Amino acid sequence: MPARRTSAAAFLVLAVAGAALVGCSKKDDGAPASADGASGPVQVTATDDKCELSKTSFPAGHVELAVSNKGGKVTEVYVYGDGDKIVTERENIGPGTKVTINAEIKAGTYEVACKPGMTGDGIRQKITVTAGASASAKADDRLTQAVTDYRTYAQEQADATIPVVEQFAAAVTAGDVEKAKSLFAASRVGWERTEPVAESFGDIDPKTDTREDALEEGQAWTGWHRIEKSLWVDGKIGDEEKTLATQLVADLKDWQKRIPSAEITPTGMANGAKELLDEVSKNKITGEEDRYSHTDLSDFAANVEGARQAYELLKPVASENEPELSKTLDAEFEKITELLGKYRAADGTYTSYDKVTEDERKTFSDAVNSLGEPLSKLAAAVVVK
């Protein structure tokens, strides 16, 4: 999981306010500044101490955010709805970098946050999205079905996760370190396949999947990685870990029951598929995610599987609108899946990541980048014109 995010998501971009975005490169600065709802991109200029928008009010529907990082730090840009629920986000915007985020945003009040250094609550600006014609009204039956099928997939993954997490928690409660270790990676698969769903519910992800270095001031460290450290570093289980295991089950059951209320859009699914690849490049390739257990490849594979599921559901429309893009994605997904298969044992477990050499990690990184670039174009390929 990324550093604390009141959600983080985009796999389906699920948000109370609802929206969906995709990031792609942009070479120009777009339309001139405007304070009203005139057409043209919303210019977002991020520096190390400012977050300036060219418009603070614009109509609902398709929105283009033209982001320019003129600061000296890597930044993130978020759009938050009520209760800091993430409507959408874009991470890893380097100094001097320009990106475009295409979104469909419903009427309501929001905050745009720039996060220099990718930490904290960010520098925020309030925006108002007024009533307008939503692009989603122009429904394509194939995309409607894709959303329905993806929601079913997300629910199935959550439903399958709970029994494994309960077994994991039972082993922790029984003080059985070795059995708990054997169940750790498996307990995370469903979560990792659909992680942005959970991240869209801002209060669940920080409790279940935060790493120690990502804790905010005053935040209690709970969840998988807190227990992971006890199992692999301390090699023992105490009363605190047993309590945390019980809490983990309860928090994940909360995630499970909320999925039917998640707002899922086709462009959000596409953008979230890219987000999962970004998760791999940020946390799995580096070995940061499962730093004690070294089960990173299991999470890596689950992220890829989840991204591919979203793509396959959107493919009927994407292949019609952008046939060459679809061919490229087919090939790149196949390559990265084949690469991961080389590290998978017959019992479904993966090679411990501390056994993966630097050259092999570079090969993984190259494969992720080769897939990530075309995947960033998927949302544009399923936008209803």
Side-chain angles (χ1 to χ4, degrees):
M1 173 197 120
R4 184 207 163 203
R5 313 156 69 150
T6 2
S7 341
F11 192 142
L12 10 143
V13 181
L14 320 153
V16 168
L21 304 152
V22 59
C24 56
S25 62
K26 185 175 179 65
K27 296 181 180 179
D28 62 330
D29 286 332
S34 171
D36 58 20
S39 61
V42 179
Q43 304 292 326
V44 181
T45 302
T47 68
D48 293 344
D49 56 10
K50 293 180 181 179
C51 186
E52 298 178 333
L53 277 66
S54 62
K55 307 175 188 180
T56 56
S57 178
F58 42 85
H62 182 263
V63 177
E64 183 177 301
L65 303 178
V67 181
S68 177
N69 182 5
K70 296 186 177 181
K73 300 178 181 178
V74 177
T75 195
E76 300 173 328
V77 172
Y78 288 72
V79 178
Y80 287 116
D82 291 341
D84 268 6
K85 294 292 182 67
I86 289 180
V87 173
T88 192
E89 51 141 332
R90 180 68 186 269
E91 299 181 339
N92 291 316
I93 306 171
T97 299
K98 297 178 181 180
V99 300
T100 296
I101 306 173
N102 291 289
E104 184 188 335
I105 304 182
K106 293 181 178 179
T109 56
Y110 303 86
E111 287 186 324
V112 174
C114 302
K115 296 189 178 183
M118 302 198 297
T119 60
D121 292 332
I123 304 163
R124 301 195 178 201
Q125 295 289 338
K126 293 183 182 298
I127 62 171
T128 301
V129 180
T130 59
S134 173
S136 63
K138 298 181 276 187
D140 181 316
D141 289 343
R142 295 171 298 176
L143 295 178
T144 301
Q145 188 62 50
V147 167
T148 298
D149 291 346
Y150 187 77
R151 188 186 304 278
T152 299
Y153 173 72
Q155 188 68 63
E156 288 172 347
Q157 293 304 308
D159 293 346
T161 295
I162 299 304
V164 186
V165 171
E166 288 177 329
Q167 292 175 44
F168 171 68
V172 173
T173 301
D176 191 335
V177 172
E178 291 309 312
K179 185 173 182 179
K181 283 183 175 182
S182 72
L183 290 164
F184 176 77
S187 75
R188 293 173 51 77
V189 171
W191 171 278
E192 291 291 334
R193 285 174 177 159
T194 60
E195 188 168 5
V197 182
E199 290 177 341
S200 72
F201 306 125
D203 56 336
I204 298 176
D205 183 74
K207 292 188 291 186
T208 58
D209 201 26
T210 298
R211 302 186 311 274
E212 186 173 18
D213 59 320
L215 293 170
E216 295 289 325
E217 185 176 353
Q219 179 186 354
W221 190 20
T222 59
W224 269 301
H225 297 302
R226 167 65 179 80
I227 300 170
E228 177 195 8
K229 185 176 182 181
S230 293
L231 294 174
W232 272 271
V233 177
D234 301 332
K236 59 183 180 181
I237 296 170
D239 290 341
E240 183 179 0
E241 286 75 25
K242 294 176 182 180
T243 299
L244 290 173
T246 300
Q247 180 183 339
L248 178 63
V249 173
D251 290 336
L252 291 171
K253 284 184 176 180
D254 189 17
W255 157 58
Q256 177 192 29
K257 73 180 182 183
R258 291 199 209 182
I259 290 173
S261 67
E263 182 168 339
I264 303 175
T265 68
T267 49
M269 290 167 58
N271 192 57
K274 175 59 167 63
E275 185 73 17
L276 285 174
L277 263 291
D278 290 344
E279 268 287 294
V280 172
S281 64
K282 282 177 56 185
N283 302 316
K284 277 69 172 184
I285 294 296
T286 60
E288 294 178 26
E289 182 75 6
D290 302 312
R291 61 189 65 174
Y292 312 115
S293 62
H294 305 300
T295 56
D296 304 86
L297 286 181
S298 177
D299 285 3
F300 182 163
N303 287 156
V304 171
E305 289 161 2
R308 189 168 193 170
Q309 179 68 17
Y311 163 62
E312 292 292 345
L313 292 172
L314 297 169
K315 184 177 174 179
V317 174
S319 61
E320 180 179 292
N321 292 341
E322 298 288 346
E324 291 305 315
L325 174 64
S326 188
K327 289 178 183 177
T328 299
L329 287 171
D330 285 343
E332 294 300 333
F333 267 118
E334 198 58 39
K335 287 178 184 177
I336 201 167
T337 300
E338 183 179 344
L339 177 60
L340 281 163
K342 296 178 181 178
Y343 295 81
R344 184 176 182 178
D347 63 358
T349 60
Y350 284 85
T351 301
S352 181
Y353 202 57
D354 59 342
K355 306 300 183 184
V356 178
T357 68
E358 287 302 318
D359 285 346
E360 289 173 314
R361 294 186 186 199
K362 176 63 165 56
T363 299
F364 276 125
S365 180
D366 290 345
V368 170
N369 291 337
S370 293
L371 173 58
E373 192 279 328
L375 195 58
S376 69
K377 302 174 182 177
L378 178 59
V382 297
V383 170
V384 179
K385 306 299 183 182

